Amino acid sequence: MRWYIDSGPEGDIVISSRVRLARNIKGYPFANRLTDAGGKEVLERCKEAAQPLRLKYITMDETPAIKRQMLLERHLISPEMLVATGNKALLLSEDEQISILLCEEDHIRIQCMSSGLNLHEMYQLADKVDDVLEERLDYSFNPQFGYTTCCPTNTGTGLRASCMLHLPAITSTGYIDTLLATVGKLGMTVRGVYGEGTRAKGNMYQLSNQITLGISEQDSIKRLEELVKMIAEKERSIRASMKKENGDKLADMIWRSYGLLTNARLLTSEEAYQLISDIRLGINLGVITNLPIETLNELTIIAGPAHIAEKCVENTRLNRDKLRALVVREKLNSRKD
Amino acid sequence: MRWYIDSGPEGDIVISSRVRLARNIKGYPFANRLTDAGGKEVLERCKEAAQPLRLKYITMDETPAIKRQMLLERHLISPEMLVATGNKALLLSEDEQISILLCEEDHIRIQCMSSGLNLHEMYQLADKVDDVLEERLDYSFNPQFGYTTCCPTNTGTGLRASCMLHLPAITSTGYIDTLLATVGKLGMTVRGVYGEGTRAKGNMYQLSNQITLGISEQDSIKRLEELVKMIAEKERSIRASMKKENGDKLADMIWRSYGLLTNARLLTSEEAYQLISDIRLGINLGVITNLPIETLNELTIIAGPAHIAEKCVENTRLNRDKLRALVVREKLNSRKD
């Protein structure tokens, strides 16, 4: 199932897990140095190598900007792929769990994504995809360092694993600053998923590993998973004490957000993300019942700027905010009480 | 029917109409000068004189403070009656349309109140009540000035007529200042119903006549009614242009207020009045349908400070705000969609 209409382990805090492997084909320069003919050749070879996986092949050049942005909002392509110059393509599985970015920074970036905390599973899946490709492709590999990549920070395992976390309590109590500082020391990175700055929009953070050299894939993933679990515990404990000490006010805040999200006639994506965050917290604290968390996951995607703009006949800011409010309302009113 | 669970002519703007007649009994000093024995005698005589009207007799001394405040919130007694010292009483009809305040400032104040713009009807009703009382009581009357009253501003007809108006558009555009100045020149008064200050809570204003000398009752009422109609027209025209020029934002504001009122878990009376005002506007502009205006009229009363406090087991601010939110939610969720 598509990650964003599902929920997984530790789904009260961990929205999604993603594992990415960076690979390059021997005998070709890195993507940014490829000639047009070289680029076409790399794309063709990758497409062929991936045939057993039965993925959909989408070239960026032939994909309208708005559709590329929708792919980005679903975390299926990177911001680099938005600029559709040259030979860039995406191989995508039906359930959107597997996406392979071709000629982005590296020739090949295998991405596997699922809802909840599923790093090991996603690593195994990425590894399988990697095996399929490697059967028909010669990877550029250095016996001393490991897989060579365009950017040296990826050299070695070529692995980057990340989790998207919802941390409203850690954010609202200011503990996020401590966390940001600590995580850096452990060789990991945290950043706001929606927008930069101290307070991430919708309290969504992406935690990812940064070390690719001198550590095995399994260890790298294990360390990230441990940290995610630790952060999730902290988040849960702050949530519990917020509920205990200020339950009435917390419930009021959550229900007000619900009232606004289900009734507003104009909604910016920023406000929608924030309201969704409050409601997500409300569901996890048992304040709001009968609303599946999966609905909110889906809502975050379908209310995104590109997903709304694509549906908008006359694409003005007012019309987008109006349509977003409608899309959100229709989705939430379809819930069974 | 009780005025506050009903709606009447011009009910989109005129919430209620009230006519009051001030009378005193010959041979007794004004209420503030009455001895205890004299006060008891006046009360007894009035009670007897009113017998044909079959009104309920409520002495203020024996009414708990919270119940007196509830009577005030229903506009059945005056703030002066809240202080229950001495002999003060209320005669009240079952439907709360007729209330006679005894020994407030004057011996007798006949009040007739209904929803909507109903000044003539209410004047006729007050006149009838007056006739009944006059059959058994000798009023203090001066052939030159008319009915004598405690405060000289009431001397003459003893009549005061007023309408409660909902003026959100006039308030939000700032036209209210012009109105306040103009109305004074016409010998009328406007004041906020809930709280003082430039912006009345809930955009509710009471417009009343101030001239009691040298003008007949009928003329006095006619002039007030004409002014009310003129203000109502102005309010309607500003509402219409607001809707035309800024319809999306207006609908958004109205629905957000509806979302908050139906979902909040903590509500102060001030916020409730403001949200009710927005929704009232929404109903009248056709933005919100299927919600009868009568429900909002009732809501304004049952969400009032005293009405909530009376129902509150443990009377703290938090508990009152919690109970108010519950009372409001239950009332609004009972509506048929």
Side-chain angles (χ1 to χ4, degrees), chain B residues 289-333:
Chain B
T289 51
N290 291 328
L291 175 59
I293 203 93
E294 292 80 1
T295 305
L296 292 188
N297 292 347
E298 190 178 357
L299 215 51
T300 308
I301 297 299
I302 64 177
H307 281 74
I308 290 297
E310 196 258 346
K311 278 184 147 191
C312 219
V313 183
E314 200 194 332
N315 195 354
T316 64
R317 189 186 163 94
L318 184 73
N319 282 344
R320 285 196 300 274
D321 290 349
K322 219 166 143 175
L323 183 62
R324 180 175 294 108
L326 181 69
V327 163
V328 167
R329 222 158 57 238
E330 284 183 345
K331 190 82 212 164
L332 286 175
N333 288 342

Side-chain angles (χ1 to χ4, degrees), chain B residues 51-62:
Chain B
Q51 253 173 5
L53 299 166
R54 297 160 178 259
L55 304 174
K56 200 172 158 190
Y57 183 73
I58 304 159
T59 60
M60 289 299 110
D61 267 345
E62 290 162 82

Side-chain angles (χ1 to χ4, degrees), chain A residues 89-316:
Chain A
L90 169 70
L91 286 160
L92 185 62
S93 68
E94 182 61 36
D95 62 5
E96 300 189 0
Q97 205 167 44
I98 304 169
S99 55
I100 308 176
L101 280 57
L102 300 179
C103 294
E104 186 231 32
E105 199 179 272
D106 296 298
H107 297 155
I108 299 167
R109 285 199 165 177
I110 301 163
Q111 290 193 139
C112 292
M113 191 165 185
S114 95
S115 42
L117 183 57
N118 264 323
L119 288 169
H120 287 289
E121 226 178 85
M122 287 307 103
Y123 172 65
Q124 278 160 11
L125 184 62
D127 201 36
K128 263 187 215 165
V129 173
D130 191 35
D131 287 348
V132 171
L133 296 183
E134 206 166 10
E135 267 182 38
R136 308 202 194 180
L137 295 171
D138 234 1
Y139 283 156
S140 171
F141 187 84
N142 177 307
Q144 195 185 344
F145 298 123
Y147 294 101
T148 46
T149 53
C150 179
C151 177
T153 60
N154 294 314
T155 297
T157 60
L159 174 101
R160 197 178 186 94
S162 64
C163 286
M164 206 198 302
L165 308 176
H166 182 230
L167 306 175
I170 282 178
T171 305
S172 76
T173 53
Y175 182 74
I176 189 74
D177 298 324
T178 315
L179 189 72
L180 291 170
T182 313
V183 161
K185 286 179 196 152
L186 297 170
M188 315 256 180
T189 322
V190 189
R191 62 170 189 85
V193 174
Y194 304 107
E196 301 294 320
T198 44
R199 191 171 188 194
K201 278 174 213 161
N203 305 308
M204 286 290 185
Y205 297 89
Q206 181 151 299
L207 179 70
S208 57
N209 74 341
Q210 225 175 4
I211 300 170
T212 50
L213 269 169
I215 183 170
S216 77
E217 282 95 333
Q218 297 285 9
D219 279 354
S220 176
I221 280 180
K222 203 177 150 208
R223 280 175 60 175
L224 179 63
E225 190 179 84
E226 278 165 6
L227 184 60
V228 166
K229 282 187 175 169
M230 208 194 73
I231 294 173
E233 268 320 302
K234 183 75 184 172
E235 170 70 22
R236 278 188 204 105
S237 99
I238 305 180
R239 285 181 186 182
S241 61
M242 277 167 77
K243 192 181 178 183
K244 199 177 159 194
E245 286 160 27
N246 238 332
D248 288 322
K249 283 191 184 164
L250 191 63
D252 184 53
M253 183 274 281
I254 288 164
W255 279 109
R256 280 170 183 261
S257 292
Y258 181 79
L260 290 177
L261 198 65
T262 49
N263 284 284
R265 259 52 183 173
L266 295 174
L267 271 178
T268 63
S269 58
E270 290 182 28
E271 189 187 8
Y273 292 151
Q274 191 52 50
L275 296 174
I276 289 170
S277 169
D278 294 342
I279 296 168
R280 192 184 286 278
L281 178 64
I283 294 173
N284 289 323
L285 288 175
V287 170
I288 294 181
T289 51
N290 292 328
L291 175 60
I293 204 92
E294 291 79 1
T295 305
L296 292 189
N297 291 347
E298 190 177 357
L299 214 51
T300 308
I301 297 298
I302 63 176
H307 281 74
I308 291 297
E310 195 258 346
K311 279 184 147 191
C312 218
V313 183
E314 199 194 333
N315 196 354
T316 65

Side-chain angles (χ1 to χ4, degrees), chain A residues 265-268 308 312-326, chain B residues 244-252:
Chain A
R265 259 52 183 173
L266 295 174
L267 271 178
T268 63
I308 291 297
C312 218
V313 183
E314 199 194 333
N315 196 354
T316 65
R317 190 188 162 90
L318 184 73
N319 282 345
R320 285 196 301 273
D321 291 350
K322 219 166 143 176
L323 182 62
R324 180 175 294 110
L326 180 69
Chain B
K244 198 177 160 194
E245 286 160 28
N246 238 332
D248 288 323
K249 283 191 183 164
L250 192 63
D252 184 53

